[in-house]
Amino acid sequence: MNDNRKYYGQECQDDELNKKFRNLHHALVDLVISFCKENNIDIDEASLSIDGISASIPYGQWEACTDSSLIFNKEITHIGEEQEPFMYSI
């Protein structure tokens, strides 16, 4: 593996695609923050997980063949202690 790659630690080295990917990342974070602000939600952590995406790509939208979860957590107060999520959707 070449350690002198521009985008270290990832397969994709395409500049334009990496820029679009980072823009997507920023848009998703902004969307979560806006949702929280509009709904007066005070959380410290959000996690989005999606698997089986390749099966939905031909449809251009989320289909039953793709699984996803979105979890909102408040600030962790006791390290190592299980904490119930503030909100979750699966």
Side-chain angles (χ1 to χ4, degrees):
M1 186 174 290
N2 181 357
D3 290 334
N4 295 321
R5 296 176 296 168
K6 184 173 185 177
Y7 302 102
Y8 178 80
Q10 66 181 47
E11 182 179 326
C12 179
Q13 296 297 306
D14 182 275
D15 286 333
E16 185 175 333
L17 190 53
N18 271 279
K19 181 178 179 181
K20 287 179 180 180
F21 181 74
R22 280 159 178 69
N23 288 340
L24 172 63
H25 179 201
H26 286 232
L28 291 170
V29 172
D30 284 346
L31 190 59
V32 168
I33 291 168
S34 293
F35 177 86
C36 290
K37 183 175 182 178
E38 290 170 11
N39 294 284
N40 198 31
I41 295 172
D42 184 19
I43 60 167
D44 192 50
E45 180 180 283
S47 300
L48 174 63
S49 176
I50 311 167
D51 62 43
I53 295 173
S54 62
S56 285
I57 290 172
Y59 301 98
Q61 65 184 17
W62 185 0
E63 294 291 328
C65 47
T66 299
D67 294 324
S68 179
S69 65
L70 176 61
I71 302 171
F72 283 180
N73 287 312
K74 292 196 172 226
E75 185 176 353
I76 296 174
T77 54
H78 297 92
I79 296 175
E81 184 178 311
E82 286 289 322
Q83 183 174 357
E84 183 176 59
F86 177 69
M87 299 177 79
Y88 72 93
S89 174
I90 52 173

